[in-house]
C-alpha cells in the first residue's frame, strides 16, 4: 500500500546552508524573520491585555543571547516564505504569517557589513516535536516584557513593539467595528461614534 503525504505536513530535518542563493540589495544581505506568538487563551483573536500574549524566542547559535528566528532570504522564495522557513528551521513552529512589521538596516555583529532585515508576525498554530536546529537552539515561550529584556537586537525589540501595537490596535478596531454595526442596526439613532 502506498501512502500519500501532503507537502504541507513534511518538514525537512536539515536547514538550508550556504549563501549562493541569498539575496543582496546594494551590497546588503537581505534577512527575514518572524516573531512567533500565541494567546494564553486559545481561540482568542485580539489582545485584551499584554499578560494574555506569549512570544517565542530562541537561543543564538553564535552567542549567549536570545532572539527571534531570522535568516537569509533566498532567490527562490518570497519574503513571507523565507520568514516561515527560517522559523520552522530555527524554532520548530509554524502558523499564519501576518503582514510585514517593518524593515530595518543594521550592522552585522560578526561581519563588517550592513544588512536589511524584515520581520513578520507569526500566529503559531503548530509546535513541532522535531525540527532542523533542535540540537543547536533552545526555544522558550515568554511574556513580551521578558522577551524585550533578553532579546539581543535593538531592531527585533522595535519589531516586537510594532507587533504589540498592531495586536492592541486590532482590539480597538474590533470594538469600533462592533459599535458601528450596532449603530447601523439601530438606524443610527442615539449613536455617538
Amino acid at each position: 500500500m502506498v501512502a500519500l503525504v501532503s507537502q504541507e505536513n513534511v518538514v525537512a530535518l536539515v536547514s538550508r546552508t550556504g549563501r549562493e542563493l541569498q539575496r543582496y540589495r546594494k551590497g546588503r544581505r537581505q534577512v527575514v524573520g518572524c516573531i512567533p506568538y500565541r494567546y494564553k487563551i486559545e481561540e482568542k483573536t485580539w489582545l485584551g491585555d499584554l499578560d494574555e500574549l506569549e512570544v517565542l524566542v530562541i537561543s543564538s547559535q553564535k552567542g549567549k543571547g536570545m532572539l527571534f528566528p531570522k535568516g537569509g532570504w533566498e532567490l527562490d522564495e518570497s519574503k513571507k516564505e523565507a520568514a516561515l522557513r527560517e522559523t520552522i528551521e530555527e524554532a520548530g513552529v509554524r502558523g499564519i504569517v501576518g503582514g510585514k512589521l517593518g524593515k530595518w538596516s543594521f550592522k552585522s555583529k560578526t561581519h563588517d557589513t550592513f544588512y536589511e532585515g524584515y520581520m513578520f508576525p507569526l500566529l503559531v498554530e503548530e509546535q513541532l516535536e522535531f525540527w532542523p536546529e533542535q540540537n543547536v537552539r533552545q526555544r522558550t515561550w515568554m511574556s513580551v516584557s521578558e522577551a524585550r529584556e533578553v532579546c539581543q537586537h535593538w531592531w527585533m525589540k522595535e519589531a516586537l513593539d510594532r507587533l504589540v501595537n498592531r495586536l492592541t490596535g486590532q482590539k480597538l478596531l474590533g470594538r469600533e467595528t462592533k459599535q458601528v454595526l450596532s449603530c447601523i442596526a439601530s438606524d443610527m439613532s442615539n449613536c455617538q461614534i
Side-chain angles (χ1 to χ4, degrees):
M1 178 161 95
V2 175
L4 297 176
V5 178
S6 165
Q7 283 292 78
E8 270 181 30
N9 296 323
V10 176
V11 174
L13 291 179
V14 178
S15 294
R16 285 188 175 191
T17 58
R19 296 208 173 159
E20 310 80 46
L21 296 176
Q22 298 279 298
R23 289 179 190 254
Y24 289 83
R25 192 170 140 248
K26 296 182 181 176
R28 294 178 176 214
R29 183 172 176 232
Q30 305 289 290
V31 297
V32 294
C34 286
I35 298 178
Y37 72 96
R38 68 182 181 191
Y39 298 103
K40 289 182 183 177
I41 301 168
E42 289 189 29
E43 307 301 321
K44 200 121 167 96
T45 57
W46 52 270
L47 184 61
D49 183 347
L50 268 185
D51 291 337
E52 298 171 349
L53 185 68
E54 292 181 307
V55 294
L56 185 68
V57 294
I58 59 171
S59 59
S60 170
Q61 270 189 316
K62 298 175 182 170
K64 296 180 182 177
M66 302 294 277
L67 64 151
F68 296 109
K70 63 118 178 95
W73 172 24
E74 299 191 354
L75 296 171
D76 63 343
E77 55 194 357
S78 71
K79 281 183 200 149
K80 281 187 174 182
E81 288 169 340
L84 179 58
R85 175 185 50 77
E86 287 292 339
T87 303
I88 291 170
E89 288 177 358
E90 295 183 355
V93 293
R94 57 179 157 198
I96 301 167
V97 180
K100 181 174 66 174
L101 293 167
K103 173 184 165 184
W104 290 266
S105 181
F106 59 94
K107 189 169 183 176
S108 168
K109 287 189 172 187
T110 55
H111 301 94
D112 189 29
T113 185
F114 280 89
Y115 289 1
E116 283 184 356
Y118 303 86
M119 292 297 286
F120 296 86
L122 181 125
L123 178 57
V124 174
E125 295 183 314
E126 181 180 11
Q127 186 166 311
L128 305 171
E129 187 176 341
F130 303 103
W131 71 98
E133 297 186 18
Q134 69 184 24
N135 293 327
V136 293
R137 294 191 190 271
Q138 298 296 311
R139 63 182 178 190
T140 306
W141 286 101
M142 58 181 57
S143 71
V144 169
S145 59
E146 291 170 325
R148 231 182 165 292
E149 192 173 310
V150 301
C151 184
Q152 63 182 351
H153 299 299
W154 66 268
W155 62 280
M156 288 186 174
K157 291 178 185 186
E158 192 171 297
L160 178 59
D161 291 343
R162 289 184 186 182
L163 171 62
V164 169
N165 288 339
R166 181 179 293 178
L167 294 176
T168 54
Q170 284 177 355
K171 175 188 173 193
L172 294 174
L173 179 62
R175 277 193 203 150
E176 291 167 0
T177 302
K178 286 178 186 172
Q179 187 179 8
V180 169
L181 291 175
S182 173
C183 286
I184 291 170
S186 67
D187 296 327
M188 301 300 279
S189 57
N190 297 325
C191 285
Q192 295 178 9
I193 300 176

